[in-house]
């Protein structure tokens, strides 16, 4: 789930407005695009890349490590199914508002496959200096620069702010993993934490969570065994109980998902939880140089 230079990306929905815009940005950042998918324009070229009728057709002709989905909600399930059938290892699903029944079907299909999904409703993944996949400003050196802090975030906007602060603090990022804000996602906070723990470039982790669900509490169980320092910011501290926030997954239910329970779980295993996003970069900048510089 961490993008590496040389990995090839298939853009499903490349000829649409958003697909075109972000494909150009990805190319500018160094991401290696293998081509795109649009059944109605198969055989054409777009942005100098081949357009295929399906992901299955694409992998018969080009190598694809990752698929990214720029497809409307009602058609997203079939696009993910296509990428799974093609055997593509990582599928980045940017689409939000996918019907719940369709998301359940996607998860069922994933269980019988070798594919991993990031999202739905993710902003994508970024490896500064190598490339990005999704709708993050991965081509902007004022926001992203190579460094040693791995960033995990449900929110793309909060993730961008944290990465901007890290860059301004002179730290940079080893990788950004946007897990997505929907309640049924393929890659969890714990999954992303494990990936950064294994990553040799990552020396410290910035974990941006929010109220709702239990992913931060579950991640805390793994964080207990990590030697890399982790600092966290949890959004939604002032939200009243039962309030639905910007993400579909940010709903506090009785007995779980609250700001207090998440903070308590993380602090109990040695994770530093800060009160504001700006404090996160400041805290990491003050760690010993060998840990986060």
């Amino acid at each position: 789930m961490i993008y590496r230079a040389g990995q090839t990306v298939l853009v499903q929905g490349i000829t649409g407005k958003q697909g075109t815009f972000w494909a150009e940005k990805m190319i500018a950042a160094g991401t290696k695009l293998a081509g795109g998918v649009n059944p109605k324009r198969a055989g054409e070229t777009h942005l100098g890349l081949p357009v295929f009728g399906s992901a299955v057709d694409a992998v018969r002709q080009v190598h694809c490590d990752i698929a990214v989905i720029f497809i409307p909600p009602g058609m997203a399930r079939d696009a993910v199914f296509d990428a799974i059938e093609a055997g593509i290892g990582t599928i980045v699903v940017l689409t939000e508002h996918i019907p719940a029944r369709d998301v359940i079907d996607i998860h069922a299909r994933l269980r019988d496959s070798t594919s991993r999904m990031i999202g739905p409703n993710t902003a994508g993944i970024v490896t500064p200096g190598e490339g990005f996949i999704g709708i993050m400003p991965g081509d902007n050196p004022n926001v992203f620069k190579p460094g040693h802090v791995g960033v995990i975030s449900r929110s793309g906007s909060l993730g961008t702010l944290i990465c901007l602060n890290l860059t301004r603090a002179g730290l940079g990022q080893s990788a950004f993993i946007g897990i997505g804000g929907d309640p049924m996602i393929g890659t969890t906070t714990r999954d992303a934490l494990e990936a950064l723990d294994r990553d040799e470039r990552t020396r410290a982790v910035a974990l941006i969570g929010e109220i709702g669900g239990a992913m931060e509490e579950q991640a805390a169980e793994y964080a207990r065994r990590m030697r890399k320092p982790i600092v966290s910011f949890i959004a939604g501290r002032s939200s009243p109980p039962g309030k639905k926030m910007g993400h579909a997954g940010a709903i506090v239910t009785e007995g779980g998902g609250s700001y207090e329970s998440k903070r308590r779980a993380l602090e109990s295993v040695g994770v530093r939880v800060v009160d504001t996003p700006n404090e996160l970069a400041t805290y990491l900048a003050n760690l010993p140089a060998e840990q986060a510089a």
Side-chain angles (χ1 to χ4, degrees):
M1 71 185 73
I2 298 175
Y3 178 75
R4 290 292 180 233
Q7 288 184 311
T8 53
V9 181
L10 182 70
V11 183
Q12 294 177 255
I14 192 171
T15 60
K17 182 178 179 181
Q18 291 298 316
T20 297
F21 178 85
W22 288 105
E24 290 179 325
K25 295 287 188 181
M26 286 187 272
I27 292 169
T31 311
K32 186 177 180 181
L33 301 189
V37 173
N38 182 336
K40 296 180 180 179
R41 295 181 58 176
E44 299 181 17
T45 59
H46 185 68
L47 303 179
L49 299 165
V51 179
F52 303 97
S54 67
V56 171
D57 290 341
V59 299
R60 293 182 181 132
Q61 302 177 58
V62 295
H63 178 74
C64 302
D65 297 296
I66 303 169
V68 58
I69 309 293
F70 286 93
I71 301 292
M75 298 181 286
R77 182 191 67 171
D78 290 344
V80 177
F81 281 4
D82 183 27
I84 293 171
E85 185 178 351
I88 297 174
T90 301
I91 306 168
V92 180
V93 184
L94 308 171
T95 312
E96 60 179 327
H97 305 307
I98 300 174
R101 178 71 254 179
D102 289 356
V103 178
I104 292 170
D105 289 345
I106 289 170
H107 280 278
R109 186 70 64 91
L110 284 166
R111 283 195 292 271
D112 296 324
S113 77
T114 57
S115 300
R116 168 184 287 277
M117 178 173 67
I118 302 175
N121 193 15
T122 175
I125 56 178
V126 185
T127 302
E130 298 188 24
F132 79 98
I133 301 164
I135 55 174
M136 292 292 287
D139 62 327
N140 188 335
N142 294 317
V143 179
F144 287 97
K145 79 165 195 173
H148 298 290
V149 179
V151 181
I152 303 167
S153 181
R154 289 204 222 177
S155 165
S157 56
L158 259 179
T160 299
L161 174 62
I162 295 299
C163 289
L164 174 65
N165 290 342
L166 290 170
T167 294
R168 287 177 172 174
L171 297 173
Q173 310 83 26
S174 55
F176 170 85
I177 304 173
I179 61 171
D182 278 8
M184 295 182 287
I185 57 175
T187 297
T188 66
T189 302
R190 175 170 176 154
D191 295 333
L193 194 61
E194 291 185 30
L196 293 175
D197 192 23
R198 294 191 299 267
D199 180 43
E200 294 181 356
R201 303 182 192 183
T202 299
R203 299 180 187 171
V205 175
L207 195 165
I208 301 95
E210 58 188 49
I211 60 170
M215 285 194 296
E216 290 81 3
E217 290 93 333
Q218 292 162 0
E221 297 174 9
Y222 183 83
R224 185 188 303 275
R225 70 189 75 167
M226 284 182 62
R227 299 184 64 183
K228 297 177 181 180
I230 305 168
V231 59
S232 179
F233 169 73
I234 307 297
R237 180 180 186 178
S238 301
S239 174
K243 174 70 174 177
K244 181 177 177 180
M245 306 299 289
H247 285 150
I251 303 173
V252 179
T253 58
E254 185 176 356
S258 69
Y259 176 88
E260 291 77 12
S261 68
K262 292 176 184 296
R263 181 162 192 159
R264 184 166 55 249
L266 290 167
E267 289 183 333
S268 71
V269 297
V271 174
R272 173 63 182 268
V273 180
V274 297
D275 294 326
T276 69
N278 291 341
E279 292 177 66
L280 195 149
T282 302
Y283 175 78
L284 286 171
N286 289 327
L287 288 175
E290 66 274 9
Q291 290 183 297

